[in-house]
Amino acid sequence: MNVLVAGGTGFIGQNLCRELRDRDHEVTALSRNPDPDSVPEGVETAVGDVGAYDSIAETVAAHDAVVNLVALSPLFDPPSGLTHEGVHLDGTKNLVRAAEEGDTPRFIQMSGLGVDPDAPTEYLRTKGLAEEVVQDSSLEWTIFCPSVVFGEGDEFVGFTKLLTTPYITGLPGGGKTPFQPIWVGDLVPMMADAFEDERHAGKSYEIGGPEVLTMKEVAKLAYKADGRPVKVLPVPMILAKFGLTMAGPIPFIPFGPDQARSLKVNNTVEENDIAVFGKSEAELRTLEDYLGLTESVSTQPTAQSEAA
């Protein structure tokens, strides 16, 4: 299959491109400014901005399937000139339109847990609206809604450490928000399976890892891997809204009201759809294992860096 991965130079994109390539698919990574060195060997690159329909229409039409991984971070304010609506909603509309008009039938959308048109954050709202665009299309779509994804080049563990310090630190609300982190090396094979089995068309899947962890527990694991302890103190959400972390070396980070609200949203699955792909939670890699805190550590490769 000839697959276009929009956002293929990013963290999940690099890993998915590699997985699809290893399954003998022809893979192209679409990005506004693709660096050939940012994708695995054997993967092509294409220039295109999902926010500009004319820049992607011809490329989309040349493929059998599209996966949409283009997204802004839910953890930081958008970069200057970009908005959640422009990237998530308008970008999805353009990719769906290009696929429909280009007779590219297969479409996989990366969404997330908690997305809803009436959700409390711009990230979750626009992702929820984007899901509706995909579901209302004439395409053979599949939607993946994972919890936070970890792996080499990820954002989640790094963000947790940016928001904290070793030894003693503060976290919004005491870091009680629950997550169900999934390793990228477990997630991307499921996404690749969805391309190869038509039974996944028209389905939405909530995907979680093998355990539920609070941000406080993630911080403790991250610093334990560095050989340093940490004691977490609660920071009132009102302070988090002003970008304060208490006891942190960085007096201000781009962490505003929207990000503070996101930390109130449960990020765990009600029913883990990994079973659809023949997996059980006992088979999935834990964050503790990934951080080298257990005896057996998987050697499956992950992307080397987050693409710019």
Side-chain angles (χ1 to χ4, degrees), residues 150 181 183 186 210 283-287 289-290 297-300:
F150 67 89
W183 182 45
D186 287 324
E283 298 176 69
L284 303 183
R285 192 177 193 187
T286 64
L287 180 62
D289 179 63
Y290 168 73
V297 178
S298 173
T299 58
Q300 183 169 337

Side-chain angles (χ1 to χ4, degrees), residues 109-171:
Q109 174 82 352
M110 175 62 81
S111 191
L113 294 179
V115 306
D116 187 278
D118 297 317
T121 73
E122 283 298 306
Y123 177 89
L124 295 173
R125 278 197 294 271
T126 54
K127 278 285 193 177
L129 291 168
E131 278 195 8
E132 291 184 344
V133 170
V134 174
Q135 292 168 338
D136 290 341
S137 74
S138 61
L139 303 173
E140 299 170 9
W141 54 264
T142 303
I143 297 174
F144 280 85
C145 301
S147 184
V148 293
V149 184
F150 67 89
E152 187 172 351
D154 73 3
E155 185 178 74
F156 180 59
V157 175
F159 173 79
T160 302
K161 294 178 75 172
L162 175 63
L163 199 60
T164 59
T165 60
Y167 308 116
I168 185 167
T169 193
L171 275 173

Side-chain angles (χ1 to χ4, degrees), residues 62-238:
H63 292 80
D64 305 312
V66 175
V67 56
N68 181 19
L69 299 177
V70 180
L72 296 176
S73 171
L75 303 176
F76 300 97
D77 285 336
S80 178
L82 297 177
T83 65
H84 290 291
E85 181 174 358
V87 172
H88 300 146
L89 181 55
D90 295 340
T92 299
K93 286 180 178 178
N94 286 335
L95 281 171
V96 166
R97 175 188 167 194
E100 289 179 325
E101 295 183 357
D103 294 325
T104 302
R106 197 71 180 91
F107 195 96
I108 289 187
Q109 174 82 352
M110 175 62 81
S111 191
L113 294 179
V115 306
D116 187 278
D118 297 317
T121 73
E122 283 298 306
Y123 177 89
L124 295 173
R125 278 197 294 271
T126 54
K127 278 285 193 177
L129 291 168
E131 278 195 8
E132 291 184 344
V133 170
V134 174
Q135 292 168 338
D136 290 341
S137 74
S138 61
L139 303 173
E140 299 170 9
W141 54 264
T142 303
I143 297 174
F144 280 85
C145 301
S147 184
V148 293
V149 184
F150 67 89
E152 187 172 351
D154 73 3
E155 185 178 74
F156 180 59
V157 175
F159 173 79
T160 302
K161 294 178 75 172
L162 175 63
L163 199 60
T164 59
T165 60
Y167 308 116
I168 185 167
T169 193
L171 275 173
K176 295 179 180 179
T177 305
F179 299 88
Q180 199 165 343
I182 183 161
W183 182 45
V184 68
D186 287 324
L187 175 63
V188 296
M190 300 180 205
M191 299 182 69
D193 286 348
F195 280 109
E196 299 174 342
D197 190 337
E198 62 183 14
R199 290 177 299 177
H200 296 298
K203 303 291 180 61
S204 294
Y205 297 121
E206 291 193 352
I207 303 293
E211 57 189 350
V212 173
L213 297 171
T214 64
M215 181 168 278
K216 175 180 177 179
E217 291 170 329
V218 172
K220 286 181 174 292
L221 288 174
Y223 285 113
K224 182 179 179 181
D226 292 340
R228 298 182 290 182
V230 63
K231 178 179 177 62
V232 176
L233 302 177
V235 176
M237 282 293 184
I238 188 64

